[in-house]
Amino acid sequence: MTFKAIILVGGPSRGTRFRPLSLDCPKTLFPVAGHPVIWHHLEALSRVDGLREVLLIGFFEASVFESFLFDATREFGDKFHIRYLREYRALGTAGGIYHFRDEIQKGDPQHLFVLNADVACSFPLNEMMSFHTTHRGLCTILGTKVLPEDAHRFGCLVAKPGSNEVLHYVEKPESFISDLISCGIYLFDVAIFNTMKEATQNKASQIALDPYTDSDDKLQLEQDLLRSLAEAHKLYVFETKDFWRQIKTPSSAVPANALYLEQYAQTFPERLAKSEPGGPQIVGAVYIHPTAIVDPRAKIGPNVTIGPRVVISKGVRIKDSIILDNVEIKNFACILHSIIGWDSKIGNWTRIEGTPVINHQTIITHNGVKIQSIAILSKDVTVKDEVVIRNCTVLPHKELKSSFHNEILM
Amino acid sequence: MKALILVGGFGTRLRPLTLTLPKPLVEFCNRPMILHQIEGLVKAGVTDIVLAVNYRPEIMVSILKKYEEQYKVTITFSVENEPLGTAGPLALAREILGKDQSPFFVLNSDIICEYPFEQLRDFHNDHGAEGTIVVTKVDEPSKYGVIVNHPNTTRIQRFVEKPTDFVSNKINAGIYIFNPNILDRIELKPTSIEKEVFPFMAKDNQLHAFELDGFWMDVGQPKDFLTGTCLYLSNVAHRRPQLLANPNLHYVHGNVLIDPSAKIGEDCRIGPNVTIGPNVVIGDGVRLQRCVVLEGARIKDHSWVKNCIIGWHSTLGRWTRLEGVSVLGDDVSINDELYVNGGCILPHKCISTSIPEPRIIM
């Protein structure tokens, strides 16, 4: 059997909820656990036998992915080709796939993985594959259980007990339908292109009949395809008990980072830092880039990623945080539940602190103002000695000379 | 000479510290508040001190007994069965205060300043009237009751409560000297000396004002306790700089008072305006400014403290940050990495989550 995989990367007009970090880096390339978000997708795909090609589909300029594709080809090139296909405009999640149907079907793959870029997941792709061969559907969707009160943020699935056929699919319902939700990861038979053709024609005729309809001409996987697949008894769900997270807001990058680091601890413990004589004190899962310099008197972890060329001085404490490239953290600073943006500088005895993300709640309301629960410092933010920055989101190129609490700093 | 110190009640404004020690025994700049006053009085020739108190804790009795021997004074507790205000305690202690014709001092126990007892005594004897009030100048007289003198004299003309128009910037500093015949004006019942005694003395031309030089502070509550500490330390820096920590030490920044038994770690930056009590242990990389660290407290590595009072034997974990007039009672412990802003924490509590907004932890 041969496969192809598609990663839906979106475009610059998407991902505004990932601001301010997306002002300097598209969400899909934001590093979690030391690697860009979609690198983790590629790594999972590299474990699927018979995978020939991975296509990134989106509407970013091609230059955005140039250096990522260069690095990824070097790392995964012996397993599969990687290309970026750019939509001439946003065509919708299924629209882009349908538009590039000829490219995708080149080489006659029988199956197609489609992965949303904005998820962190253990990607049990081989398990999905085995399950897919046991049913007669066109699509296997990866599902996971969430807390009932969180279910309404996602696409909800009602599955038939026993067969796991999806009886009903609703995107972000207002009321409670099910606590089983779609992970945004699919395995299709190539015959899906016929269904897409029908869906495209249906949509066109609908718009022709009713020019005042609310729906646009974008073809969405979730609304336009999955529903009709479910009605045709062609949609099945494979439920994973493993980890899954959506990466929408900057705050969600921190739990995603933690989950990947914990996965490393199970699967690739050699990727993680260890406490060694003469080295910093390491607690739990911590990734430190080989070019970073960490003073032996620092205490790091759990759930910390320290990026390239970062310099961390003595007596620094970092926990549940992502420290991006080239950051400098001076003596005795304390950084908790935060993302520190590229080239930022943190002063002596300075404290940067966010609020832990609980369940999928990445936005907290403080005095009626909605803010990111994680403290977010964007690119090139300088924070003076001895101040405290709590629950703040700081836009790029700022200098902070005094303490701030619960604010967005423009 | 004789003196009466108005101690009063339970010092509730200085809680949680006063839940552990009576207010006169709480250390201000590493010495019990009352010791500052006793020393000043003894230096001016006082041999009899009366403490006007609402209650008499055993610990106060035993410590003051020690001071009696050390300073060769007689200290008597005058215990009120009901609160007698600011004048009533004088009547209650009349046996001691009126035992001879020499004048006696009266002072409020919450006041910190450079006590001018000797000059006050001389000034009082020179003008010959019945009483003298020490006055201090303030920036915002509208918050207080002010004192107005007869033009070009030290003789007090009247008192104006919370003036809206500027008439004077001098306020009652809570320190007095009186001739024993003032006792004829006071009955043994709850009476306010400010409202029910002074206006009549002024009318009789029996009251003078003595202007205080230098700093003055009512340190009865934590915020003012810290301000008073700053003022006192800068006074010490002028008068007896040898008492302060050596400014050439790399970790000392500005006026800092450190008990010789305290231990300071490496890479600390301490000051300005910090007092560190006996047997305190400060870890490495600790930053302290404008704070009071009482006896036996332990501040672990990399902590940052500003505008706080750390109670006796309390422990701050590593990478804690305390600010916003936080006050820790006796034996409080704060876990590693927490943030405390304006926390008022009662004795023997162990804090395991941050306190980002001012709050009382019972």
Side-chain angles (χ1 to χ4, degrees):
Chain A
M1 282 204 286
T2 59
F3 302 94
K4 283 199 183 185
I6 291 161
I7 303 175
L8 299 168
V9 295
S13 59
R14 311 287 301 164
T16 57
R17 274 189 288 168
F18 202 67
R19 285 178 187 164
L21 296 174
S22 54
L23 297 172
D24 291 294
C25 174
K27 181 173 67 176
T28 46
L29 296 183
F30 185 80
V32 292
H35 296 283
V37 167
I38 54 171
W39 180 92
H40 297 279
H41 296 56
L42 294 181
E43 195 191 39
L45 288 166
S46 74
R47 293 193 297 266
V48 175
D49 287 333
L51 186 80
R52 294 290 150 80
E53 190 169 47
V54 177
L55 299 166
L56 312 186
I57 296 181
F59 46 101
F60 283 103
E61 281 187 42
S63 62
V64 169
F65 293 104
E66 226 165 66
S67 76
F68 173 75
L69 288 175
F70 182 81
D71 293 343
T73 300
R74 218 166 40 179
E75 191 165 359
F76 302 109
D78 58 332
K79 297 272 174 54
F80 44 67
H81 287 109
I82 314 166
R83 284 196 292 150
Y84 173 57
L85 300 177
R86 185 185 177 190
E87 298 165 52
Y88 59 96
R89 64 179 173 89
L91 296 169
T93 44
I97 298 173
Y98 188 62
H99 177 74
F100 290 113
R101 58 192 176 276
D102 296 337
E103 287 281 353
I104 294 165
Q105 290 180 91
K106 221 180 265 174
D108 282 330
Q110 285 117 35
H111 293 99
L112 210 55
F113 278 111
V114 174
L115 283 63
N116 272 305
D118 58 0
V119 295
C121 182
S122 63
F123 297 109
L125 302 177
N126 287 316
E127 291 88 333
M128 277 177 83
M129 180 76 65
S130 321
F131 173 72
H132 192 70
T133 56
T134 64
H135 64 73
R136 304 176 60 93
L138 276 180
C139 174
T140 295
I141 185 168
L142 187 67
T144 190
K145 288 245 167 92
V146 294
L147 291 176
E149 57 268 33
D150 289 327
H152 68 94
R153 305 161 191 275
F154 305 103
C156 292
L157 301 162
V158 181
K160 195 171 176 178
S163 74
N164 282 325
E165 183 196 325
V166 175
L167 301 172
H168 190 50
Y169 177 90
V170 198
E171 184 69 11
K172 300 192 178 98
E174 280 175 23
S175 59
F176 180 75
I177 308 284
S178 164
D179 59 353
L180 183 64
I181 60 140
S182 162
C183 296
I185 294 161
Y186 317 95
L187 176 57
F188 292 108
D189 284 4
V190 278
I192 192 68
F193 285 112
N194 299 326
T195 319
M196 283 189 183
K197 187 177 178 185
E198 282 164 30
T200 311
Q201 284 164 353
N202 283 347
K203 189 129 198 177
S205 59
Q206 225 176 47
I207 292 168
L209 277 174
D210 180 6
Y212 302 106
T213 176
D214 290 337
S215 68
D216 54 27
D217 59 347
K218 291 190 184 114
L219 193 68
Q220 302 294 1
L221 260 179
E222 299 79 10
Q223 288 90 332
D224 299 317
L225 217 61
L226 295 182
R227 251 197 120 107
S228 53
L229 276 176
E231 278 159 18
H233 308 287
K234 295 288 187 195
L235 183 63
Y236 287 78
V237 57
F238 176 77
E239 187 190 327
T240 177
K241 309 269 189 214
D242 229 334
F243 74 88
W244 177 84
R245 276 281 173 162
Q246 209 169 19
I247 304 178
K248 286 275 188 216
T249 60
S251 289
S252 55
V254 169
N257 181 60
L259 291 168
Y260 278 131
L261 290 176
E262 279 156 24
Q263 190 190 33
Y264 289 172
Q266 301 302 316
T267 53
F268 303 101
E270 68 279 6
R271 286 182 187 170
L272 297 177
K274 285 173 210 60
S275 281
E276 277 161 16
Q281 188 186 350
I282 304 291
V283 185
V286 172
Y287 172 86
I288 299 177
H289 192 274
T291 58
I293 299 169
V294 182
D295 189 279
R297 285 159 288 182
K299 181 178 176 185
I300 316 285
N303 304 324
V304 173
T305 291
I306 292 173
R309 299 180 307 284
V310 168
V311 177
I312 292 175
S313 304
K314 66 184 165 192
V316 166
R317 175 77 179 105
I318 306 175
K319 190 168 111 176
D320 292 300
S321 297
I322 300 175
I323 313 297
L324 295 168
D325 311 22
N326 215 26
V327 164
E328 184 185 347
I329 300 177
K330 296 200 185 146
N331 298 339
F332 323 124
C334 181
I335 296 176
L336 309 171
H337 311 290
S338 303
I339 296 174
I340 309 297
W342 307 267
D343 307 326
S344 290
K345 287 185 170 50
I346 310 299
N348 297 299
W349 283 294
T350 289
R351 184 182 179 97
I352 315 283
E353 184 180 12
T355 304
V357 175
I358 296 162
N359 298 325
H360 293 261
Q361 202 78 314
T362 60
I363 306 284
I364 55 172
T365 307
H366 220 286
N367 301 332
V369 181
K370 282 187 172 178
I371 46 170
Q372 290 287 323
S373 61
I374 294 296
I376 314 283
L377 271 56
S378 305
K379 189 186 172 86
D380 182 31
V381 172
T382 300
V383 188
K384 216 193 88 172
D385 287 358
E386 302 192 29
V387 304
V388 56
I389 307 294
R390 281 187 63 257
N391 298 333
C392 288
T393 297
V394 187
L395 272 69
H397 312 295
K398 294 283 289 182
E399 194 179 348
L400 306 182
K401 294 180 175 167
S402 56
S403 295
F404 294 94
H405 301 260
N406 310 316
E407 263 190 86
I408 296 173
L409 300 164
M410 287 290 278
Chain B
M1 283 185 81
K2 305 145 293 182
L4 175 90
I5 304 177
L6 295 161
V7 174
F10 294 92
T12 55
R13 292 189 307 157
L14 202 56
R15 281 182 182 166
L17 300 176
T18 44
L19 293 172
T20 304
L21 269 190
K23 190 173 59 180
L25 299 185
V26 171
E27 297 93 340
F28 177 84
C29 294
N30 286 353
R31 314 175 76 201
M33 294 256 282
I34 198 145
L35 196 52
H36 293 271
Q37 291 149 352
I38 291 175
E39 280 197 343
L41 291 168
V42 167
K43 214 167 137 218
V46 170
T47 50
D48 277 287
I49 297 174
V50 181
L51 297 188
V53 293
N54 286 349
Y55 75 124
R56 179 169 50 177
E58 272 316 305
I59 175 146
M60 201 141 94
V61 175
S62 63
I63 287 181
L64 288 170
K65 188 154 228 99
K66 213 176 69 190
Y67 294 153
E68 271 191 317
E69 290 160 14
Q70 194 178 340
Y71 292 95
K72 311 272 183 279
V73 283
T74 312
I75 300 174
T76 316
F77 285 87
S78 170
V79 185
E80 303 158 39
N81 293 320
E82 58 165 339
L84 291 173
T86 45
L90 276 68
L92 188 65
R94 84 177 297 146
E95 224 169 274
I96 296 170
L97 301 176
K99 72 174 181 183
D100 58 34
Q101 280 312 301
S102 68
F104 60 86
F105 296 107
V106 173
L107 62 149
N108 195 316
S109 71
D110 292 344
I111 302 302
I112 281 294
C113 62
E114 203 175 346
Y115 302 113
F117 296 124
E118 289 158 279
Q119 302 96 296
L120 178 60
R121 175 197 62 204
D122 297 343
F123 173 84
H124 180 76
N125 287 336
D126 285 352
H127 68 64
E130 215 172 286
T132 305
I133 300 180
V134 177
V135 297
T136 183
K137 287 180 180 165
V138 292
D139 290 339
E140 296 181 63
S142 56
K143 288 184 188 166
Y144 304 86
V146 298
I147 290 170
V148 183
N149 286 355
H150 286 282
N152 306 318
T153 69
T154 58
R155 196 153 47 87
I156 293 171
Q157 184 189 49
R158 63 197 166 104
F159 298 86
V160 185
E161 202 47 45
K162 300 203 165 92
T164 43
D165 297 327
F166 183 88
V167 285
S168 159
N169 61 351
K170 283 179 230 147
I171 65 159
N172 177 347
I175 300 170
Y176 322 108
I177 183 167
F178 302 120
N179 293 341
N181 54 349
I182 190 183
L183 297 169
D184 300 339
R185 296 176 182 270
I186 303 168
E187 288 177 56
L188 184 55
K189 63 170 193 189
T191 313
S192 159
I193 202 166
E194 296 86 355
K195 295 202 175 70
E196 296 171 74
V197 180
F198 289 160
F200 300 98
M201 290 173 76
K203 215 159 109 196
D204 298 346
N205 290 321
Q206 287 301 317
L207 207 50
H208 284 251
F210 172 89
E211 256 183 59
L212 183 67
D213 275 336
F215 75 104
W216 174 88
M217 196 74 206
D218 177 340
V219 297
Q221 47 192 336
K223 181 172 141 287
D224 299 331
F225 194 91
L226 288 166
T227 306
T229 299
C230 299
L231 295 172
Y232 183 88
L233 289 179
S234 70
N235 184 259
V236 173
H238 281 111
R239 299 292 163 107
R240 287 176 296 168
Q242 69 280 7
L243 294 182
L244 297 182
N246 183 348
N248 297 324
L249 287 169
H250 66 93
Y251 60 81
V252 172
H253 293 248
N255 299 333
V256 175
L257 187 64
I258 304 178
D259 187 275
S261 62
K263 288 194 179 66
I264 313 285
E266 282 173 30
D267 293 326
C268 291
R269 192 186 293 177
I270 296 176
N273 301 313
V274 173
T275 71
I276 296 176
N279 302 315
V280 166
V281 179
I282 309 277
D284 295 341
V286 169
R287 176 76 181 105
L288 303 177
Q289 52 199 315
R290 207 178 194 274
C291 65
V292 171
V293 184
L294 294 174
E295 179 170 358
R298 183 180 159 84
I299 299 182
K300 294 195 190 169
D301 301 351
H302 321 313
S303 291
W304 188 97
V305 181
K306 186 176 185 178
N307 269 332
C308 295
I309 302 174
I310 311 300
W312 311 272
H313 312 290
S314 286
T315 303
L316 302 192
R318 304 204 288 162
W319 289 289
T320 52
R321 183 182 176 105
L322 267 73
E323 59 184 320
V325 197
S326 293
V327 185
L328 275 51
D330 178 39
D331 181 36
V332 165
S333 81
I334 309 280
N335 285 359
D336 284 1
E337 299 162 25
L338 298 184
Y339 173 60
V340 177
N341 174 26
C344 177
I345 304 167
L346 271 63
H348 312 299
K349 294 296 283 187
C350 178
I351 303 297
S352 56
T353 53
S354 289
I355 304 168
E357 308 292 342
R359 203 150 75 86
I360 296 167
I361 308 294
M362 287 288 282

